[in-house]
Amino acid sequence: MDTWVWIVIVAVVAIVAIALAAAASMAQRRRTQGLQDDFGPEYDRAVDEKGDRGAAERALRDRKERVAKFQVRPLSADERRRLSDDWTTAQTRFVDDPNSAIRDADGLIQQAMRARGFPVGEFEQNAADISVEHPYVVEHYRAAHEIAVANVDGRADTEALRQAMVHYRSLFEEMVNATGPEDVPQRAAPEGQREPEPEGTHRAAGRLGQIQRRR
Protein backbone atom coordinates (compact mmCIF):
# COMPACT_ATOMS: atom_id res chain seq x y z
CA MET A 1 0.00 0.00 0.00
CA ASP A 2 1.33 3.41 -0.89
CA THR A 3 2.71 5.60 1.84
CA TRP A 4 0.22 8.36 1.13
CA VAL A 5 -2.65 5.93 1.75
CA TRP A 6 -1.27 5.12 5.19
CA ILE A 7 -0.94 8.80 5.91
CA VAL A 8 -4.57 9.35 5.00
CA ILE A 9 -5.71 6.41 7.16
CA VAL A 10 -3.71 7.63 10.16
CA ALA A 11 -5.06 11.16 9.66
CA VAL A 12 -8.64 9.89 9.48
CA VAL A 13 -8.19 7.74 12.60
CA ALA A 14 -6.69 10.70 14.45
CA ILE A 15 -9.57 12.96 13.42
CA VAL A 16 -12.13 10.37 14.49
CA ALA A 17 -10.37 9.88 17.84
CA ILE A 18 -10.26 13.62 18.45
CA ALA A 19 -13.93 13.94 17.50
CA LEU A 20 -14.93 11.11 19.84
CA ALA A 21 -12.89 12.59 22.68
CA ALA A 22 -14.46 16.01 22.09
CA ALA A 23 -17.95 14.48 22.02
CA ALA A 24 -17.29 12.56 25.24
CA SER A 25 -15.94 15.69 26.90
CA MET A 26 -18.95 17.71 25.78
CA ALA A 27 -21.33 15.03 27.04
CA GLN A 28 -19.57 15.00 30.41
CA ARG A 29 -19.81 18.78 30.63
CA ARG A 30 -23.52 18.58 29.89
CA ARG A 31 -23.99 15.94 32.61
CA THR A 32 -22.02 18.03 35.07
CA GLN A 33 -23.98 21.15 34.20
CA GLY A 34 -27.23 19.25 34.54
CA LEU A 35 -26.31 18.06 38.03
CA GLN A 36 -25.17 21.53 39.03
CA ASP A 37 -28.48 22.96 37.82
CA ASP A 38 -30.50 20.25 39.57
CA PHE A 39 -28.66 20.25 42.88
CA GLY A 40 -27.30 23.78 43.22
CA PRO A 41 -25.29 24.03 46.47
CA GLU A 42 -25.69 20.30 47.04
CA TYR A 43 -23.38 19.68 44.09
CA ASP A 44 -20.49 21.53 45.73
CA ARG A 45 -21.25 19.88 49.06
CA ALA A 46 -21.08 16.43 47.47
CA VAL A 47 -17.77 17.25 45.78
CA ASP A 48 -16.35 18.45 49.11
CA GLU A 49 -17.58 15.33 50.92
CA LYS A 50 -16.34 12.85 48.32
CA GLY A 51 -13.15 14.72 47.50
CA ASP A 52 -13.60 13.68 43.88
CA ARG A 53 -15.90 15.16 41.24
CA GLY A 54 -16.59 11.84 39.53
CA ALA A 55 -17.53 10.11 42.78
CA ALA A 56 -19.71 13.05 43.78
CA GLU A 57 -21.57 13.01 40.48
CA ARG A 58 -22.17 9.26 40.73
CA ALA A 59 -23.57 9.76 44.24
CA LEU A 60 -25.89 12.53 43.05
CA ARG A 61 -27.11 10.44 40.14
CA ASP A 62 -27.77 7.60 42.58
CA ARG A 63 -29.88 9.98 44.68
CA LYS A 64 -31.97 10.94 41.67
CA GLU A 65 -32.47 7.32 40.65
CA ARG A 66 -33.46 6.35 44.19
CA VAL A 67 -36.02 9.14 44.58
CA ALA A 68 -37.41 8.50 41.08
CA LYS A 69 -38.65 5.13 42.40
CA PHE A 70 -40.77 6.78 45.10
CA GLN A 71 -44.37 7.86 44.63
CA VAL A 72 -43.63 11.47 45.58
CA ARG A 73 -46.67 13.71 45.29
CA PRO A 74 -47.96 17.10 46.41
CA LEU A 75 -50.03 17.23 49.57
CA SER A 76 -53.78 17.59 49.45
CA ALA A 77 -55.36 20.76 50.78
CA ASP A 78 -56.50 18.89 53.90
CA GLU A 79 -53.00 17.51 54.52
CA ARG A 80 -51.45 20.95 54.12
CA ARG A 81 -53.99 22.45 56.48
CA ARG A 82 -53.48 19.77 59.13
CA LEU A 83 -49.69 19.94 59.02
CA SER A 84 -49.72 23.74 59.00
CA ASP A 85 -52.00 23.78 62.05
CA ASP A 86 -49.67 21.37 63.82
CA TRP A 87 -46.71 23.58 62.93
CA THR A 88 -48.46 26.63 64.40
CA THR A 89 -49.03 24.66 67.59
CA ALA A 90 -45.37 23.64 67.78
CA GLN A 91 -44.22 27.19 67.10
CA THR A 92 -46.49 28.54 69.83
CA ARG A 93 -45.18 25.91 72.24
CA PHE A 94 -41.68 27.28 71.77
CA VAL A 95 -42.57 30.15 74.12
CA ASP A 96 -42.91 27.88 77.15
CA ASP A 97 -41.15 24.69 76.09
CA PRO A 98 -38.55 25.16 73.33
CA ASN A 99 -37.18 21.63 73.74
CA SER A 100 -40.57 20.08 72.99
CA ALA A 101 -41.10 22.52 70.12
CA ILE A 102 -37.83 21.44 68.49
CA ARG A 103 -38.79 17.77 68.79
CA ASP A 104 -42.22 18.52 67.36
CA ALA A 105 -40.69 20.45 64.44
CA ASP A 106 -38.42 17.55 63.56
CA GLY A 107 -41.35 15.17 63.79
CA LEU A 108 -43.43 17.36 61.50
CA ILE A 109 -40.69 17.30 58.87
CA GLN A 110 -40.85 13.51 58.98
CA GLN A 111 -44.65 13.55 58.80
CA ALA A 112 -44.49 15.80 55.75
CA MET A 113 -41.96 13.46 54.16
CA ARG A 114 -44.19 10.43 54.68
CA ALA A 115 -47.25 12.25 53.40
CA ARG A 116 -45.36 13.34 50.27
CA GLY A 117 -44.22 9.76 49.62
CA PHE A 118 -40.63 9.83 50.90
CA PRO A 119 -39.48 6.95 53.10
CA VAL A 120 -38.26 8.05 56.50
CA GLY A 121 -35.13 6.55 58.00
CA GLU A 122 -31.77 7.76 59.24
CA PHE A 123 -31.19 11.49 59.11
CA GLU A 124 -28.45 11.44 56.47
CA GLN A 125 -30.59 9.37 54.11
CA ASN A 126 -33.56 11.64 54.74
CA ALA A 127 -31.45 14.68 53.89
CA ALA A 128 -30.09 13.04 50.74
CA ASP A 129 -33.60 12.14 49.56
CA ILE A 130 -34.96 15.61 50.29
CA SER A 131 -32.07 17.23 48.44
CA VAL A 132 -33.27 15.81 45.12
CA GLU A 133 -36.42 17.95 45.15
CA HIS A 134 -35.44 20.65 47.64
CA PRO A 135 -31.70 21.26 47.14
CA TYR A 136 -31.79 24.89 48.21
CA VAL A 137 -33.38 24.35 51.62
CA VAL A 138 -32.07 20.95 52.70
CA GLU A 139 -29.11 22.73 54.30
CA HIS A 140 -31.62 24.24 56.73
CA TYR A 141 -32.57 20.69 57.69
CA ARG A 142 -28.95 19.82 58.37
CA ALA A 143 -28.41 22.97 60.43
CA ALA A 144 -31.55 22.34 62.49
CA HIS A 145 -30.60 18.70 63.07
CA GLU A 146 -27.14 19.70 64.26
CA ILE A 147 -28.67 22.05 66.82
CA ALA A 148 -31.21 19.42 67.88
CA VAL A 149 -28.39 16.93 68.52
CA ALA A 150 -26.47 19.56 70.48
CA ASN A 151 -29.62 20.24 72.50
CA VAL A 152 -29.90 16.58 73.51
CA ASP A 153 -26.35 16.85 74.83
CA GLY A 154 -27.16 20.08 76.67
CA ARG A 155 -25.00 22.21 74.36
CA ALA A 156 -27.68 24.43 72.78
CA ASP A 157 -28.92 27.67 74.31
CA THR A 158 -32.26 29.35 73.67
CA GLU A 159 -30.92 31.43 70.79
CA ALA A 160 -29.62 28.29 69.07
CA LEU A 161 -33.00 26.61 69.53
CA ARG A 162 -34.72 29.64 68.03
CA GLN A 163 -32.44 29.37 65.00
CA ALA A 164 -33.28 25.66 64.75
CA MET A 165 -36.98 26.53 64.52
CA VAL A 166 -36.21 29.01 61.73
CA HIS A 167 -34.25 26.34 59.84
CA TYR A 168 -36.95 23.71 60.30
CA ARG A 169 -39.61 26.15 59.13
CA SER A 170 -37.75 26.93 55.89
CA LEU A 171 -37.79 23.28 54.85
CA PHE A 172 -41.24 22.58 56.26
CA GLU A 173 -42.89 25.38 54.30
CA GLU A 174 -41.34 24.34 51.00
CA MET A 175 -42.16 20.67 51.47
CA VAL A 176 -45.75 21.34 52.50
CA ASN A 177 -46.44 23.91 49.79
CA ALA A 178 -44.70 22.13 46.89
CA THR A 179 -47.18 21.59 44.07
CA GLY A 180 -45.20 19.07 42.03
CA PRO A 181 -41.89 18.25 40.35
CA GLU A 182 -42.28 21.25 38.07
CA ASP A 183 -41.66 23.57 41.03
CA VAL A 184 -38.60 25.73 40.65
CA PRO A 185 -36.19 24.98 43.53
CA GLN A 186 -36.34 27.70 46.13
CA ARG A 187 -32.99 29.29 46.87
CA ALA A 188 -32.00 29.77 50.47
CA ALA A 189 -31.56 33.28 51.83
CA PRO A 190 -28.25 34.84 50.74
CA GLU A 191 -25.38 34.40 53.15
CA GLY A 192 -25.54 36.99 55.88
CA GLN A 193 -29.23 37.73 55.32
CA ARG A 194 -31.33 36.65 58.27
CA GLU A 195 -34.64 35.02 57.58
CA PRO A 196 -37.71 36.18 59.52
CA GLU A 197 -37.97 34.32 62.79
CA PRO A 198 -41.06 32.37 63.82
CA GLU A 199 -43.53 34.49 65.71
CA GLY A 200 -42.99 34.19 69.44
CA THR A 201 -39.43 32.92 69.42
CA HIS A 202 -37.87 36.26 70.37
CA ARG A 203 -40.43 36.54 73.11
CA ALA A 204 -39.52 33.03 74.25
CA ALA A 205 -35.82 33.87 74.35
CA GLY A 206 -36.43 36.92 76.53
CA ARG A 207 -38.80 35.10 78.81
CA LEU A 208 -36.50 32.13 79.32
CA GLY A 209 -33.59 34.48 79.89
CA GLN A 210 -35.49 36.18 82.68
CA ILE A 211 -36.30 32.80 84.22
CA GLN A 212 -32.67 31.73 84.07
CA ARG A 213 -31.49 34.98 85.66
CA ARG A 214 -33.97 34.57 88.51
CA ARG A 215 -32.56 31.08 89.10
Side-chain angles (χ1 to χ4, degrees):
M1 187 178 295
D2 292 339
T3 301
W4 69 269
V5 176
W6 284 109
I7 293 174
V8 171
I9 292 174
V10 171
V12 170
V13 170
I15 291 171
V16 171
I18 292 171
L20 290 174
S25 178
M26 185 177 297
Q28 179 58 51
R29 285 197 298 270
R30 284 198 297 267
R31 287 193 294 269
T32 295
Q33 186 62 55
L35 288 170
Q36 289 173 333
D37 291 343
D38 289 343
F39 283 96
E42 278 293 294
Y43 181 91
D44 292 333
R45 179 185 178 88
V47 172
D48 289 341
E49 285 184 347
K50 298 294 184 181
D52 177 78
R53 187 175 299 275
E57 293 189 355
R58 286 191 295 274
L60 293 175
R61 287 194 294 270
D62 287 345
R63 290 189 199 182
K64 293 183 69 172
E65 291 174 5
R66 170 181 162 85
V67 173
K69 298 175 183 177
F70 305 153
Q71 298 296 320
V72 178
R73 62 173 180 83
L75 298 179
S76 67
D78 287 342
E79 288 170 325
R80 286 198 300 271
R81 187 179 305 109
R82 176 180 60 79
L83 285 168
S84 295
D85 288 346
D86 289 346
W87 178 266
T88 299
T89 299
Q91 189 165 282
T92 302
R93 182 175 298 170
F94 187 94
V95 176
D96 296 311
D97 191 353
N99 292 320
S100 293
I102 293 298
R103 289 193 297 271
D104 290 348
D106 186 71
L108 284 169
I109 293 293
Q110 295 185 34
Q111 287 185 42
M113 287 183 66
R114 290 192 184 93
R116 290 281 310 280
F118 290 97
V120 176
E122 296 295 326
F123 167 76
E124 289 298 336
Q125 186 62 66
N126 292 348
D129 290 343
I130 289 172
S131 74
V132 175
E133 290 206 352
H134 305 284
Y136 290 97
V137 293
V138 69
E139 195 60 28
H140 287 289
Y141 187 32
R142 293 192 179 97
H145 178 75
E146 183 176 347
I147 295 171
V149 170
N151 186 47
V152 171
D153 298 336
R155 296 182 288 108
D157 59 16
T158 303
E159 172 61 18
L161 296 180
R162 182 182 63 80
Q163 284 298 318
M165 287 295 290
V166 173
H167 288 306
Y168 275 130
R169 187 184 67 178
S170 295
L171 175 60
F172 177 82
E173 288 183 345
E174 183 165 318
M175 289 198 67
V176 168
N177 294 317
T179 58
E182 69 279 3
D183 278 353
V184 176
Q186 297 297 305
R187 294 181 182 272
E191 186 176 354
Q193 177 178 328
R194 296 174 66 90
E195 297 188 29
E197 283 85 4
E199 182 181 354
T201 51
H202 271 307
R203 183 155 44 94
R207 182 173 175 180
L208 288 177
Q210 292 174 359
I211 295 173
Q212 291 167 352
R213 285 196 294 274
R214 286 201 298 269
R215 289 178 180 175

